[in-house]
Amino acid sequence: MLEQIDSLRSLLDDEFRAVQSADDLEALRLRHLVKKGTLQGLVDQLRSVPKEDKPTVGKALNELRTWVENRFDQLESSFAHQQKVQRVDVTLPSRRPSSGSIHPITQTVNDIIGIFSSMGFEVAEGGEVEDDAHNFGLLNFPPDHPARDMQDTFFVEAADRGDILLRTHTSSVQVRVMQSTPPPIRCIMPGRVYRNEAVSARSLAEFHQVEGLYIDKHVTMADLKGTIMSFARRFYNESAEFRFRTSYFPFTEPSAEVDMTCFLCSGQGCRVCKHSGWLEICGCGMVHPSVLRACGIDPEVYSGFAFGFGVERVVMMRTGIDDIRLLYENDVRILEQFR
Ligand code: PHE
């Protein structure tokens, strides 16, 4: 019996050495390690071994079994590892690292800046916390004008003054530019503004504007119209038509609101233009002489125009996003659509 055990061990040793693949190992298992295999065959013979020899033979059999199982497990796990490694297909294209993208509001502001700079406009910026004079007073808002009301304006608690607020438009930057720069002035003011409005699909308490200001000798309403129309043709649609409607702003006279034929349906009427065929694109006007004077510019010598519009509305028209709040939630599933 002990000889048989020894010879099975050396046979298995040879066969283990010869194993080259998982298939070879499986064949070995089927020959030796199953119920009808050689190992179990020897175990079955233990019954007929004389009683006094049983402990020695049994021990030898157990040692053989442990040895076989160890060899088998070792080989099996090395093949499993190899299989995993082999499953890597090196010809596949590599995974790209995911990259961020520029927010659609920033993209739109950049595009607007690009067009105006090609027309000679510079970018001017100012603070978001302003005083009443720069946001309202110097812009010809009378002291009791409803726009100053607590309902529209966020006031900031400042230690010793009650006139500090979050700017409600970037016209405050126009004032600062006029106060600090002698004409000619040709600049646009992009930036974030704040109004105390109920948050809905169409409005937020925080949004972006781009305003423009052009001051020189002999600037007329024709310059205003030409500038706005050539911007809008390049930005929206080369063949757009325009409508200037009279309007009112305290800081411009005359004032107008500009409509453009809808760039989506060319004026036929669609969801974006609410079936009117027209899209409102900006407010504008000739800078009021009182504003020029208040900012240290002689209205007898200089004249100028200003315009302004909200950026989020432009982004919504361009992208088809119909809830303004989506632009502020920073959900990558939305943002990655506008790379
Ligand atoms: N400041 C105005 C607003 O916030 C926009 C505007 C700017 C209108 C310049 C006319 C001229 O609504």
Side-chain angles (χ1 to χ4, degrees):
M1 225 1 225
L2 286 175
E3 269 168 34
Q4 276 179 292
I5 293 174
D6 255 359
S7 68
L8 180 58
R9 182 183 179 123
S10 61
L11 172 73
L12 280 166
D13 193 35
D14 290 343
E15 291 198 15
F16 273 128
R17 283 177 207 281
V19 165
Q20 301 274 2
S21 66
D23 287 345
D24 292 350
L25 186 63
E26 177 63 5
L28 183 150
R29 189 182 72 84
L30 293 174
R31 272 196 306 279
H32 302 289
L33 309 181
V34 290
K35 241 190 179 151
K36 296 226 161 78
T38 53
L39 189 61
Q40 188 58 37
L42 280 185
V43 173
D44 291 344
Q45 287 180 38
L46 191 59
R47 246 179 285 135
S48 45
V49 170
K51 214 176 174 187
E52 62 275 19
D53 293 339
K54 267 192 184 156
T56 337
V57 177
K59 193 170 170 240
L61 266 176
N62 272 338
E63 277 169 11
L64 175 63
R65 191 206 299 275
T66 316
W67 176 82
V68 170
E69 282 171 358
N70 283 342
R71 289 290 294 264
F72 183 85
D73 290 348
Q74 262 174 21
L75 281 168
E76 192 182 44
S77 66
S78 79
F79 287 130
H81 179 66
Q82 263 177 27
Q83 266 178 352
K84 251 186 238 146
V85 171
Q86 277 164 2
R87 248 181 265 131
V88 175
D89 180 350
V90 293
T91 65
L92 286 174
S94 60
R95 278 193 206 112
R96 284 163 182 278
S98 59
S99 64
S101 56
I102 296 177
H103 193 282
I105 293 178
T106 313
Q107 279 180 33
T108 301
V109 170
N110 289 346
D111 291 349
I112 294 168
I113 291 174
I115 294 177
F116 278 109
S117 11
S118 77
M119 299 199 279
F121 284 77
E122 289 170 49
V123 173
E125 286 181 319
E128 292 173 21
V129 178
E130 265 298 359
D131 54 27
D132 183 281
H134 287 87
N135 196 79
F136 293 127
L138 294 161
L139 286 161
N140 210 26
F141 282 79
D144 56 353
H145 194 282
R148 298 173 182 231
D149 201 294
M150 294 294 278
Q151 278 156 23
D152 295 309
T153 307
F154 288 113
F155 287 88
V156 176
E157 274 181 33
D160 50 349
R161 38 200 290 195
D163 66 333
I164 305 298
L165 45 81
L166 296 181
R167 66 182 180 192
T168 61
H169 49 187
T170 55
S171 307
S172 54
V173 186
Q174 302 198 15
V175 174
R176 291 192 177 275
V177 170
M178 286 189 279
Q179 286 177 327
S180 62
T181 323
I185 294 170
R186 195 160 25 169
C187 55
I188 55 170
M189 303 83 182
R192 207 179 275 255
V193 300
Y194 302 86
R195 289 183 197 176
N196 192 2
E197 277 176 40
V199 171
S200 73
R202 302 211 62 81
S203 68
L204 290 173
E206 171 188 356
F207 57 100
H208 293 75
Q209 279 192 329
V210 175
E211 295 205 356
L213 177 69
Y214 184 20
I215 294 176
D216 202 349
K217 291 174 179 157
H218 316 300
V219 177
T220 70
M221 191 96 185
D223 299 311
L224 165 61
K225 290 174 79 173
T227 304
I228 288 174
M229 282 159 49
S230 52
F231 162 75
R233 288 201 170 114
R234 278 176 63 185
F235 187 75
Y236 293 107
N237 175 10
E238 280 299 334
S239 51
E241 287 180 41
F242 298 88
R243 194 163 77 172
F244 285 71
R245 285 180 286 110
T246 51
S247 183
Y248 174 78
F249 301 101
F251 40 90
T252 48
E253 181 59 35
S255 304
E257 269 164 85
V258 187
D259 299 333
M260 180 189 80
T261 43
C262 176
F263 59 88
L264 258 193
C265 62
S266 310
Q268 299 306 298
C270 69
R271 195 181 58 86
V272 171
C273 60
K274 298 210 203 75
H275 305 283
S276 69
W278 294 96
L279 292 172
E280 192 187 311
I281 56 169
C282 71
C284 60
M286 303 306 291
V287 181
H288 199 292
S290 309
V291 172
L292 292 175
R293 204 175 295 114
C295 297
I297 294 173
D298 185 352
E300 301 297 332
V301 183
Y302 292 104
S303 57
F305 65 76
F307 58 87
F309 52 88
V311 177
E312 278 75 1
R313 239 177 60 83
V314 175
V315 176
M316 289 165 78
M317 291 194 292
R318 282 180 123 190
T319 58
I321 289 177
D322 58 4
D323 188 327
I324 193 169
R325 290 168 291 198
L326 290 174
L327 293 173
Y328 281 78
E329 281 165 6
N330 288 332
D331 183 334
V332 278
R333 290 169 302 178
I334 300 283
L335 298 183
E336 68 190 1
Q337 296 175 46
F338 306 103
R339 284 175 184 280

